[in-house]
Amino acid sequence: MEQHLEEMKRRVRDGEHNRWRQDSVPDVLAECEAEGLSWVRRAARLTRRMCEAERPVIEPDERIVFTRTLRTIPPVYSPADWAARTAGRTVHELGCVNNICADWGMILSQGLLGRRQVALESRQRLADQPEVVEFLDAAVETIDAVLGLAARYAHEARELGRLDVAALLERVPAHPAKTFHEALQALRVVHAVLWLSGHYQNAFGRLDQYLWPYLEADLRAGRLDSAGAQALLAEFFIASNKDADLYPGVQKGDNGQTLVLGGVRPDGTCGVNGLTRLALRAALEVSMIDPKINLRIDPGTDLDLLSLASELTRKGLGFPQYSNDAVVIPGLVAHGYDLADARDYVMAACWEFIIPGKGMEVVNTGAVSFPAAVDRGLREALPAGGDFQAVLEGTRQDVRRQVERVVGDYRRLILPPAPYYSIMLDGCLEQGRDASEGLKYNNFGIHGAASANAADALAAVRKLVFEEQSIDRATLLRALDANWEGYEPLRCRLAEEGPRVGNDDDAADELLVKLFGYLAQACDAAGDNGRGGRVRPGTGSAMYYVWLARGNPGMREPVVGATAEGRRVGDLFGANLAPAQGVRVRGPISTLRSFSKIDYQRICNGGPITLELSDAVFRDAESISKVAMLVRTFAQVGCQQLQVNTVNLETLLDAKAHPERHKNLIVRVWGWSGYFCELAPEYQDHIIARQMHTMV
Amino acid sequence: MLTGIVFDVKEFAIHDGPGIRTTVFLKGCPLHCAWCHNPEGISPKPQVLHAPSGDRVAGTVYTPAELAWILNAQADIMRANEGGVTFSGGEPLRQARFVAATARLLRGMHILLDTSGYATKGDLRLVVALCDMVYYDLKLIDPAQHRRYTGYDNAPILHNFHVLGGLGVPYVVRVPLIPGVTDTDDNLAAIAATVRGAPGLLRVDLLPYNHVAGGKYAAAGMTFAPPYDEARPLNINTAVFTEAGVPVHVA
Ligand code: SF4
């Protein structure tokens, strides 16, 4: 990476830009109260005051500017007012519109002035509808606020003699971008103001699609070469890490700044272009946690591209995450999406599929705890003398109850107006309708969590309690209640002798497929979600692999105790699609084959298979191409989504402290690889030391 | 009924041959190398490993059909990715009839034998005839040294090496670099002289010693007492091979 970019990255890592941060934020609430503003006007006022309060910061080496100086987002309602306004309603997370993706192509190609014009035309056309007029006025207020902010940046740049920066900001984001550089600058400002307006998990979408026309024109005209373009993009990526510590989120880095590369275009042709590779290379150079790269592939994606992506995996950042177009697109169509829209899908904060500009979806309304459902099935069927079918039936009914509980709550969802987001979402300004009231797609998503544990529990019970009848029903229930205390041999038998998901063993995988079938049924049965959409079931777990095991204040989902696959109270579940913690499998091919059995036409809210590979796997070019083959195999066997993690220091330390959770963790030991947890402690320490060494 | 004993089947064995492949680790080895990193591969009997992650039995008995069924389930994937199956160990030739019978049942996959060469000529021929590639270990050329560090004479290994050259199957010679033992200039030069001009030789792979070699001994209830200084810097002398016109690669 160029020297000045290294330096820029260092500054961001060291938080040097913190010195520009202001100590106070504008008191928006007071003026909202004094003026008695409506909700939508309050939202617009927030955007406006935040933009006005921002102080321009232009570092001498920056070519893409904007540094956030306001630390927090002030409220626009007093707590009491907020409580009254939301009484009897369901507030999603922090409340405001989040976790969707703007139509970035539209905003860049029309410019804010273009959007403003659209708003004014609609205002004239719909002048007899006061609510519409109010919304459009609010939207225009936010546009003017951003234009004002850009003008102050341009002015500051002139003062500093940075005529290049001044020229950029005098053109964008007001006017349609003409160059790649202008497009990146416009994106930076417009995106940052989303965060300033209180929105979060603001996705970048298909950057290689919407920015390629600008780059292609630059390359053609000889204004820019690909090295120059990569340097600009790298700077943009570094900038997207700048304000990350101010973003709300469960953990730092979990901020939903996802970016999608590759995949087919809306017309079905291959969308991989020069920018796809350039963006992967820029991300590789920058090696920071934002933006989070998703790569859309299909069974025919070439190994060159996958090898480049695997280089990124090797860095141990946890991306790219892969999605298989051949599975995702038909799945979305089966869920009512138009084909052209389905082909344009992107990822929300984690993995959920959303359509940029057209989706006001709430993809993470909650989770179904499969282990809790199985537990209920066992507790109903076993004492009553029921057969295994009865256990399954009880499980199925509980899955349905859990879906109903979450969806029932979310039918009362209240979303605050989002006039600023609305300017960059399809049809809002055209129809005078705030995005919070709905867009073309308004589905909910629900996670089907801890599926491998639950299938393992069913498989163990089927084998040992029903088929072999070597474990007594009442004893099993007593052992679960006692958290296995006094029943250790029984626990070991259930854990060791039962078939397990992840090993391509139909005896377990078939039950996994059944569980997801129950989930799909329950979501279908839930029908309309109250917002003109439906409920999409998924395979992710998000943080629920912890919460469903240990609980979390305020969560709706049930917490389960000890479970029949031999898990103790409080032990964590497997995250997303992965063998349950502590299960030893033959390897990643079997794991992919296990999870390829799920019917992804019905299970389409995303949720990746998670494979962990040692960093030593990535030692040379030949091994990288094998990882690329593994990724291609993922697509070829018909799986939906994949995360490949390189084992990093944290994992190793956790593996040392909790070996039972990492039985499959592989480390390289000269001409061979071994299971980390089977090495004696001193050798584990050695590998950890080696890892520390490679980190510096 | 013919059966074999296997201590692990591991998929996506990146370093065990070309493409995506699965390695079958056959249990039992006639040698006792001081640096052996698979102590559970030495005894031909099932044994319990007491690992920090819990106990597990190493050693599963399969018929050739059972093992081939597991491997064939992924034959399409292996073939599509230029890979196949590696038989390693322990010493796979100790169970040559089982390995051969299994290999005959595999559906069109690339087969690689990873051997110490300590076997009968007949067993070597039997298995190599079914293979597409061989990884052949050469550790020490001096017979006394070989006896000292592996417990046995290397005459069969050196003899079989010449047999291998006549079988028409390409092979890689693999040399574990043990500090002060196998990495001496003398030994490496002797290996270079042995392999120089050998028909069918693809290259020599030097495998640098890694300090976690003894990691699994405790789990296997054994003690690791290397009769050499593990901390001694390695002598990675590729020049002796290059000068002899032998392609060499440090793995
Ligand atoms: S030949 Fe290999 S398996 Fe056998 S003792 Fe030596 S190192 Fe161990």
Side-chain angles (χ1 to χ4, degrees):
Chain A
M1 196 158 63
E2 287 172 29
Q3 185 57 43
H4 83 279
L5 292 173
E6 288 291 355
E7 172 59 17
M8 211 176 268
K9 174 177 168 181
R10 188 200 58 73
R11 289 202 311 260
V12 171
R13 294 293 300 275
D14 292 351
E16 279 186 16
H17 56 293
N18 290 353
R19 70 183 190 282
W20 304 114
R21 289 191 179 155
Q22 309 183 43
D23 291 327
S24 61
V25 289
D27 183 358
V28 188
L29 177 58
E31 62 181 291
C32 289
E33 306 262 272
E35 296 176 39
L37 292 184
S38 70
W39 202 350
V40 68
R41 296 309 297 240
R42 287 182 190 221
R45 185 62 60 88
L46 173 67
T47 303
R48 176 171 142 201
R49 292 295 183 222
M50 293 298 274
C51 286
E52 287 168 354
E54 271 300 337
R55 286 191 199 128
V57 174
I58 300 170
E59 302 273 11
D61 54 355
E62 280 182 334
R63 292 184 300 165
I64 297 167
V65 298
F66 185 77
T67 297
R68 177 168 156 185
T69 64
L70 298 168
R71 292 173 200 269
T72 54
I73 313 297
V76 292
Y77 274 106
S78 69
D81 273 356
W82 177 255
R85 188 162 278 271
T86 58
R89 305 292 298 271
T90 295
V91 175
H92 178 62
E93 296 179 358
L94 301 180
C96 61
V97 167
N98 75 90
N99 211 3
I100 60 171
C101 184
D103 184 344
W104 294 114
M106 170 182 74
I107 207 86
L108 295 176
S109 64
Q110 296 187 17
L112 289 181
L113 288 176
R115 295 308 291 159
R116 192 175 194 280
Q117 193 53 40
V118 170
L120 294 181
E121 281 163 19
S122 296
R123 192 183 191 282
Q124 208 158 34
R125 196 179 72 245
L126 305 166
D128 55 336
Q129 300 175 41
E131 279 178 16
V132 168
V133 168
E134 183 170 51
F135 159 70
L136 290 168
D137 285 345
V140 168
E141 184 175 356
T142 67
I143 290 173
D144 290 344
V146 182
L147 293 174
L149 174 63
R152 278 186 300 114
Y153 259 88
H155 179 77
E156 175 77 9
R158 277 205 185 278
E159 301 268 288
L160 292 169
R162 287 293 305 277
L163 302 185
D164 56 332
V165 171
L168 267 181
L169 284 149
E170 280 156 9
R171 284 206 29 83
V172 293
H175 302 278
K178 283 221 176 85
T179 65
F180 185 60
H181 193 171
E182 284 184 3
L184 285 173
Q185 178 62 71
L187 183 56
R188 171 72 186 140
V189 174
V190 175
H191 183 260
V193 176
L194 280 177
W195 290 98
L196 278 178
S197 304
H199 302 295
Y200 59 99
Q201 295 176 330
N202 303 307
F204 284 119
R206 304 186 74 182
L207 180 124
D208 63 346
Q209 303 304 302
Y210 62 76
L211 286 185
W212 176 238
Y214 302 100
L215 178 56
E216 199 183 18
D218 283 359
L219 294 172
R220 264 216 196 105
R223 281 190 292 263
L224 194 64
D225 60 11
S226 61
Q230 192 174 320
L232 275 175
L233 192 57
E235 179 170 343
F236 177 80
F237 286 174
I238 293 170
S240 74
N241 286 272
K242 248 191 226 176
D243 317 322
D245 61 323
L246 301 177
Y247 298 164
V250 183
Q251 291 169 66
K252 190 172 176 240
D254 176 18
N255 60 31
Q257 291 196 127
T258 54
L259 181 154
V260 179
L261 300 171
V264 295
R265 298 192 185 92
D267 65 4
T269 57
C270 173
V272 175
N273 58 41
L275 184 50
T276 313
R277 287 186 164 78
L278 194 129
L280 285 172
R281 281 195 290 269
L284 189 62
E285 259 189 353
V286 169
S287 283
M288 297 177 82
I289 59 170
D290 278 296
K292 298 161 210 325
I293 312 281
N294 285 271
L295 186 62
R296 285 176 43 177
I297 65 169
D298 61 48
T301 300
D302 66 85
L303 285 178
D304 270 6
L305 184 66
L306 297 178
S307 294
L308 183 56
S310 299
E311 293 276 1
L312 207 49
T313 301
R314 176 198 221 167
K315 292 271 182 180
L317 300 167
F319 54 71
Q321 174 171 262
Y322 299 92
S323 294
N324 183 4
D325 277 10
V327 168
V328 175
I329 294 169
L332 288 170
V333 170
H335 281 77
Y337 291 77
D338 290 342
L339 180 58
D341 292 337
R343 284 170 171 160
D344 210 23
Y345 77 91
V346 300
M347 259 55 69
C350 297
W351 45 69
E352 303 90 344
F353 312 118
I354 52 175
I355 312 302
K358 299 189 171 70
M360 182 58 257
E361 321 206 75
V362 184
V363 292
N364 51 348
T365 55
V368 163
S369 169
F370 281 129
V374 169
D375 190 62
R376 179 112 179 220
L378 290 175
R379 287 173 191 283
E380 283 172 5
L382 292 187
D387 56 6
F388 185 64
Q389 204 48 47
V391 176
L392 290 179
E393 181 52 25
T395 304
R396 192 180 70 84
Q397 287 179 9
D398 191 69
V399 167
R400 186 155 175 174
R401 271 191 297 267
Q402 290 193 49
V403 168
E404 261 313 316
R405 185 178 324 148
V406 172
V407 177
D409 275 357
Y410 269 81
R411 284 205 178 89
R412 297 191 303 272
L413 176 71
I414 182 167
L415 279 177
Y420 179 57
Y421 230 140
S422 299
I423 70 166
M424 52 195 103
L425 294 165
D426 297 5
C428 294
L429 297 183
E430 287 76 359
Q431 290 154 29
R433 202 169 117 104
D434 191 281
S436 60
E437 292 168 37
L439 293 169
K440 184 171 180 184
Y441 301 109
N442 302 290
N443 298 322
F444 288 165
I446 191 163
H447 304 306
S451 51
N453 286 83
D456 288 352
L458 286 173
V461 168
R462 178 164 68 181
K463 181 177 177 201
L464 299 172
V465 178
F466 289 97
E467 289 170 4
E468 296 181 0
Q469 305 197 355
S470 57
I471 291 177
D472 168 70
R473 297 162 179 240
T475 315
L476 173 63
L477 293 178
R478 273 199 305 275
L480 289 173
D481 290 338
N483 190 23
W484 310 110
E485 266 169 53
Y487 296 91
E488 184 59 18
L490 183 71
R491 192 193 72 78
C492 287
R493 288 197 55 210
L494 286 157
E496 299 292 323
E497 293 176 29
R500 311 299 297 249
V501 167
N503 230 358
D504 193 18
D505 180 347
D506 281 338
D509 297 345
E510 177 216 347
L511 295 163
L512 178 83
V513 171
K514 267 199 171 54
L515 287 172
F516 279 112
Y518 300 158
L519 180 60
Q521 261 177 21
C523 289
D524 287 348
D528 188 276
N529 66 358
R531 292 179 62 84
R534 56 188 286 186
V535 185
R536 295 189 325 202
T539 49
S541 66
M543 61 288 174
Y544 289 104
Y545 74 102
V546 181
W547 289 10
L548 299 180
R550 300 190 175 159
N552 195 65
M555 77 179 211
R556 296 172 179 80
E557 293 74 10
V559 177
V560 74
T563 43
E565 76 281 18
R567 184 188 136 276
R568 297 187 181 88
V569 172
D571 281 358
L572 304 189
F573 292 109
N576 303 323
L577 288 182
Q581 289 206 344
V583 172
R584 202 161 180 278
V585 298
R586 278 197 291 274
I589 312 280
S590 287
T591 299
L592 291 176
R593 283 169 54 102
S594 269
F595 293 121
S596 73
K597 295 169 191 172
I598 295 170
D599 180 359
Y600 293 111
Q601 299 310 290
R602 303 188 69 199
I603 302 294
C604 200
N605 195 49
I609 298 166
T610 309
L611 295 179
E612 276 190 13
L613 299 179
S614 148
D615 68 323
V617 159
F618 299 85
R619 210 167 27 127
D620 50 29
E622 201 197 330
S623 332
I624 292 275
S625 78
K626 290 185 189 182
V627 175
M629 286 177 181
L630 181 65
V631 172
R632 190 178 60 179
T633 302
F634 141 82
Q636 287 174 346
V637 300
C639 295
Q640 188 184 57
Q641 208 167 38
L642 174 72
Q643 242 179 48
V644 186
N645 293 335
T646 313
V647 169
N648 60 17
L649 189 58
E650 241 175 61
T651 315
L652 292 177
L653 292 172
D654 194 56
K656 192 164 154 52
H658 307 284
E660 71 285 356
R661 291 181 200 159
H662 295 272
K663 277 190 200 159
N664 289 310
L665 178 60
I666 291 169
V667 288
R668 180 148 175 86
V669 197
W670 116 47
W672 58 295
S673 295
Y675 295 107
F676 181 80
C677 296
E678 291 184 8
L679 303 177
E682 58 268 39
Y683 294 96
Q684 295 181 336
D685 288 344
H686 181 270
I687 289 176
I688 288 171
R690 180 177 73 184
Q691 205 71 24
M692 281 177 162
H693 181 74
T694 57
M695 301 263 301
V696 250
Chain B
M1 192 173 36
L2 178 62
T3 59
I5 181 162
V6 165
F7 70 89
D8 210 352
V9 176
K10 191 157 64 68
E11 296 169 355
F12 200 58
I14 286 256
H15 306 288
D16 293 348
I20 292 195
R21 53 200 314 119
T22 296
T23 298
V24 177
F25 292 89
L26 290 128
K27 199 156 156 42
C29 182
L31 301 183
H32 285 89
C33 304
W35 53 82
C36 182
H37 49 73
N38 281 333
E40 81 275 33
I42 295 181
S43 158
K45 299 208 177 75
Q47 75 197 91
V48 179
L49 294 185
H50 306 280
S53 53
D55 288 0
R56 99 181 149 83
V57 179
T60 308
V61 175
Y62 292 103
T63 64
E66 285 167 348
L67 182 56
W69 186 82
I70 292 175
L71 300 168
N72 278 333
Q74 302 181 351
D76 292 350
I77 294 174
M78 302 297 139
R79 275 201 302 266
N81 293 291
E82 301 148 32
V85 171
T86 295
F87 291 100
S88 183
E91 174 47 66
L93 292 183
R94 237 194 112 135
Q95 304 184 56
R97 284 179 55 231
F98 171 71
V99 171
T102 307
R104 280 197 199 97
L105 296 175
L106 296 182
R107 286 198 283 108
M109 280 186 273
H110 181 280
I111 300 177
L112 191 150
L113 170 71
D114 180 6
T115 178
S116 70
Y118 197 88
T120 68
K121 195 164 84 177
D123 283 347
L124 181 76
R125 284 178 181 277
L126 172 68
V127 175
V128 171
L130 299 163
C131 289
D132 300 284
M133 192 185 281
V134 175
Y135 278 5
Y136 197 92
D137 278 12
L138 286 181
K139 302 175 173 96
L140 288 159
I141 298 299
D142 178 76
Q145 288 276 86
H146 198 274
R147 271 194 299 276
R148 173 162 174 218
Y149 287 103
T150 73
Y152 294 87
D153 195 68
N154 60 3
I157 296 172
L158 296 174
H159 179 71
N160 276 338
F161 180 67
H162 294 293
V163 173
L164 178 63
L167 296 179
V169 175
Y171 58 91
V172 174
V173 164
R174 311 232 295 171
V175 182
L177 294 179
I178 312 302
V181 181
T182 64
D183 73 339
T184 62
D185 284 344
D186 284 354
N187 186 49
L188 295 177
I191 290 175
T194 306
V195 304
R196 163 180 215 159
L201 175 71
L202 294 173
R203 60 170 197 275
V204 169
D205 278 354
L206 301 180
L207 314 176
Y209 188 74
N210 188 303
H211 301 270
V212 293
K216 289 198 278 191
Y217 278 71
M222 297 157 76
T223 27
F224 182 60
Y228 48 86
D229 178 7
E230 282 193 284
R232 180 176 159 151
L234 278 181
N235 172 36
I236 304 180
N237 183 352
T238 52
V240 283
F241 294 97
T242 323
E243 281 158 18
V246 176
V248 62
H249 174 79
V250 181

